[in-house]
Amino acid sequence: MRSPDRSSLKNVGLRLGFAGTPAFAATVLSGLIAAELTPVVVFTQPDRPTGRGRTLKPSPVKALAASQGIGVLQPQSLKGVSLEEYALDMLIVVAYGLLLPAHVLKAPRLGCLNVHASLLPRWRGAAPIERAIIAGDNETGVCLMQMDEGLDTGPIYACRRTAIDDDETGGSLDKKLAALGTRLLLEHLPEIAALTPTPQSETGITYAHKLTSKDSVLDWNQSAETIACQVRAPADRGPACVFSP
């Protein structure tokens, strides 16, 4: 993939908003800021209690945005939120974790652009990175998708592939795909208004359901390869176990 042309990025002239929550999204936001494409507003999920003391902790996206002086909004839902005052050309959405209602999808002049961590239509949904590893996939990637009201069903502007290494964990693949997605986004933003996205294939659709504690319970009747994939996928979140927690 060619490196983004910094001079062309400075002349993009897009008024951007950003919606995202975890470290994956913060990597993309950091790339936009470094390319002088700082969003005028950032949406992220509300602070969550963490640790033994259950202290409220901001998301990685909020922490980054706040450090850069970007206005941050943390609604529980976007149903009653209006974007009209921001006059956005585009809202970039990366692992936000909340559904975007129709009025939000239609508010930006060029719509909402999603950086999704899979080769759509494979692994639509909440946990595409871990599900790809658990399934034993040999490769995955990132896609730039024009968002619609479905679950990751919108047409695609561009995708990039990458191999899933034999020792890949969910955490290592997350970082790899975040960097790949950032480069893909910056490469295509200068021309995005002139591009026509391609509808997703109607075959090969799979859903990446959110991980639960049951996904960490090992079944010793499975093959060694299957068990290894199940251990590696959530390894950076917590250990696999023999009995249900």
Side-chain angles (χ1 to χ4, degrees):
M1 185 192 308
R2 70 179 186 272
S3 298
D5 183 341
R6 295 292 175 178
S7 61
S8 66
L9 286 170
K10 291 181 180 180
N11 296 322
V12 167
L14 292 177
R15 185 173 172 84
L16 301 176
F18 187 89
T21 299
F24 184 102
T27 296
V28 179
L29 176 58
S30 179
L32 288 171
I33 294 169
E36 300 183 25
L37 294 170
T38 302
V40 298
V41 64
V42 165
F43 291 87
T44 191
Q45 288 201 36
D47 297 356
R48 304 297 187 196
T50 60
R52 292 183 178 180
R54 308 305 290 165
T55 303
L56 289 178
K57 182 178 180 180
S59 73
V61 163
K62 179 182 179 180
L64 174 59
S67 73
Q68 298 296 314
I70 306 170
V72 178
L73 297 177
Q74 296 177 275
Q76 294 284 352
S77 166
L78 291 176
K79 290 182 179 180
V81 174
S82 172
L83 299 186
E84 299 302 326
E85 65 180 286
Y86 301 106
L88 299 179
D89 291 306
M90 177 175 288
L91 178 66
I92 296 174
V93 183
V94 187
Y96 180 33
L98 293 180
L99 292 176
L100 272 59
H103 74 276
V104 170
L105 292 170
K106 297 175 182 177
R109 181 175 64 87
L110 298 174
C112 299
L113 181 68
N114 180 230
V115 180
H116 185 77
S118 81
L119 297 173
L120 293 167
R122 185 162 179 80
W123 301 129
R124 295 172 176 173
I129 295 174
E130 292 86 354
R131 292 298 176 191
I133 295 176
I134 290 173
D137 291 359
N138 294 318
E139 68 170 2
T140 186
V142 289
C143 289
L144 298 184
M145 179 192 71
Q146 183 182 67
M147 297 183 71
D148 59 19
E149 293 186 59
L151 178 61
D152 299 328
T153 56
I156 304 298
Y157 285 105
C159 292
R160 289 292 183 274
R161 298 174 178 270
T162 188
I164 298 179
D165 297 333
D166 291 340
D167 61 349
E168 200 88 69
T169 66
S172 66
L173 187 55
D174 186 283
K175 292 178 182 178
K176 182 191 294 186
L177 293 178
L180 188 64
T182 302
R183 294 197 299 272
L184 185 65
L185 175 64
L186 295 180
E187 178 183 337
H188 287 278
L189 267 180
E191 58 187 1
I192 199 72
L195 295 178
T196 300
T198 302
Q200 292 186 34
S201 172
E202 294 298 323
T203 62
I205 298 171
T206 58
Y207 290 92
H209 300 290
K210 185 176 180 180
L211 293 183
T212 69
S213 58
K214 293 182 179 179
D215 290 299
S216 296
V217 180
L218 302 178
D219 179 358
W220 296 110
N221 293 314
Q222 300 294 322
S223 68
E225 181 180 356
T226 297
I227 292 173
C229 290
Q230 190 178 1
V231 170
R232 289 187 288 107
D236 303 276
R237 301 187 182 192
C241 55
V242 179
F243 302 105
S244 179

